[in-house]
Amino acid sequence: MGSEEEPSQMRRALVDSLAGAISGGISRTVTSPLDVIKIRFQVQLEPTTSWGVLQRDVYGPSKYTGLLQATKDILREEGLPGFWRGNVPALFMYMPYTAIQFTVLHKLKTFASGSSRTEDHLHLSPYLSYVSGALAGCAATIGSYPFDLLRTILASQGEPKVYPNMRSAFVDIIKTRGVQGLYSGLSPTLVEIIPYAGLQFGSYDTFKRSMMTWNRYRYSRLNLGSEDDSVSSFQLFLCGFAAGTFSKAACHPLDVVKKRFQIEGLRRHPRYGARIESSTYKGMYHALKEIVAKEGFGGLYKGLFPSLVKSAPAGAVTFVAYEYISDWLESILM
């Protein structure tokens, strides 16, 4: 019995990790242009809206003042490849991140429900769904964080490049900041990821359960003699879209703080605005206070619009791709 169960568990983990990695890679590549714009906004000390430019005069002129303007500037100065700057380390980060996340999530839900069947996991209480998502997010973040830091640095450097490739960035960070430099901003990231991953997976399960209830109600009203509660791909997309929007909007300020820590000391060209010098922020709380004091509360929400425009479809694509790829792999491997 035990020897039969072990290969089954290994195949289940293989399905979860492969489906997570592939769905993460697809989602990451499709939404890379919006991620690059979001990062440019987040690491810009100057106001990121035309209104903000008129209201505040703390720094010099702003490089980016809106989604459309930023898109035009990046396209003109860096060409189309500029929208996929940092995508290679992002894939190195996001593919193992989603692989670890979905694998750990399934293990936790299996432990909590006493069953490895995915359909049984939907009967877990919302509280357990949120806790499982938060713990899975923490595990995935710690396992993939150095690639997240490299992605942020390469995506925010602009032209002329500070680092020509991921390897040169990695070597310079080790040389100037030490190994701990690869984990700059990890604390606010973990503080962010606990509510973010918890809300994303917990709300996705909640929305999916609600959609199944709606489908049962609809079929009973139509008197079709069936109570099919299966969720269509479009409904899965809507659930992922809503979950991505909700979780990202709630946790965005912590993402801004994380990005500031990640690019401390990066010698970007002056046209991209004031530089964030090394040790500008002494800790997460200090960073929050400094941003609010110098940039207003709006500073904590820089890049929110492109972040939502990116995160909502990214969450939708990830969840839908995972569901379908997982089902396909199960038919082959299980």
Side-chain angles (χ1 to χ4, degrees):
M1 176 95 176
S3 59
E4 289 178 10
E5 190 175 342
E6 189 175 346
S8 177
Q9 289 179 355
M10 289 180 66
R11 283 196 296 270
R12 179 70 253 179
L14 182 62
V15 166
D16 291 329
S17 58
L18 283 175
I22 295 168
S23 62
I26 293 170
S27 173
R28 170 61 239 177
T29 302
V30 168
T31 59
S32 178
L34 289 164
D35 195 51
V36 168
I37 294 171
K38 179 202 76 168
I39 290 173
R40 297 288 175 93
F41 280 158
Q42 289 179 322
V43 300
Q44 177 173 293
L45 297 179
E46 297 78 12
T48 57
T49 64
S50 301
W51 181 86
V53 170
L54 294 173
Q55 293 294 313
R56 300 186 70 84
D57 191 27
V58 178
Y59 299 101
S62 297
K63 171 66 175 172
Y64 303 117
T65 56
L67 184 61
L68 185 60
Q69 180 268 335
T71 302
K72 287 179 179 176
D73 262 25
I74 293 171
L75 184 61
R76 185 180 68 252
E77 295 172 359
E78 304 168 45
L80 273 177
F83 292 108
W84 277 269
R85 182 155 290 170
N87 194 49
V88 173
L91 287 174
F92 275 113
M93 179 272 291
Y94 210 68
M95 291 180 75
Y97 178 91
T98 47
I100 295 168
Q101 189 175 44
F102 279 107
T103 303
V104 172
L105 183 70
H106 192 274
K107 283 286 185 187
L108 289 170
K109 286 185 173 181
T110 297
F111 175 77
S113 66
S115 170
S116 62
R117 287 159 51 89
T118 304
E119 49 268 36
D120 292 336
H121 295 171
L122 286 172
H123 301 305
L124 286 173
S125 71
Y127 170 75
L128 286 173
S129 290
Y130 283 87
V131 171
S132 298
L135 292 174
C138 284
T141 297
I142 293 169
S144 61
Y145 189 79
F147 292 110
D148 184 23
L149 180 127
L150 291 170
R151 178 276 304 247
T152 298
I153 288 174
L154 292 179
S156 63
Q157 62 182 347
E159 289 288 349
K161 294 178 182 178
V162 180
Y163 302 113
N165 52 46
M166 185 171 67
R167 182 181 176 279
S168 65
F170 175 81
V171 170
D172 188 61
I173 290 167
I174 293 292
K175 191 184 298 181
T176 57
R177 300 196 229 173
V179 175
Q180 66 269 26
L182 294 173
Y183 290 89
S184 296
L186 179 61
S187 296
T189 302
L190 289 175
V191 172
E192 174 207 4
I193 206 66
I194 290 171
Y196 175 72
L199 286 170
Q200 186 182 38
F201 284 95
S203 59
Y204 177 75
D205 284 349
T206 300
F207 293 140
K208 190 175 177 181
R209 277 193 293 266
S210 300
M211 201 66 79
M212 292 169 70
T213 302
W214 162 251
N215 286 345
R216 282 195 295 270
Y217 171 76
R218 188 180 56 170
Y219 273 94
S220 65
R221 292 275 296 182
L222 292 173
N223 295 317
L224 295 177
S226 168
E227 288 196 1
D228 184 14
D229 62 359
S230 58
V231 184
S232 69
S233 56
F234 179 68
Q235 288 176 324
L236 287 174
F237 184 88
L238 288 179
C239 292
F241 192 94
T245 302
F246 179 53
S247 53
K248 180 54 72 175
C251 304
H252 189 78
L254 291 169
D255 193 36
V256 171
V257 172
K258 176 185 82 171
K259 294 294 189 293
R260 297 292 177 89
F261 275 112
Q262 288 179 329
I263 70 149
E264 275 190 335
L266 180 65
R267 313 305 292 176
R268 297 198 300 169
H269 193 280
R271 74 162 172 263
Y272 292 98
R275 291 171 177 164
I276 300 174
E277 302 298 338
S278 297
S279 303
T280 296
Y281 304 119
K282 298 176 177 61
M284 186 175 66
Y285 180 64
H286 178 254
L288 286 167
K289 282 204 309 183
E290 283 290 295
I291 292 170
V292 171
K294 294 182 178 178
E295 304 167 50
F297 280 101
L300 296 174
Y301 291 91
K302 283 180 174 177
L304 178 61
F305 182 64
S307 180
L308 290 179
V309 173
K310 173 236 171 186
S311 296
V317 170
T318 301
F319 280 118
V320 173
Y322 174 80
E323 299 262 3
Y324 279 94
I325 293 169
S326 178
D327 288 345
W328 176 67
L329 289 172
E330 279 182 21
S331 68
I332 298 173
L333 300 174
M334 299 297 282

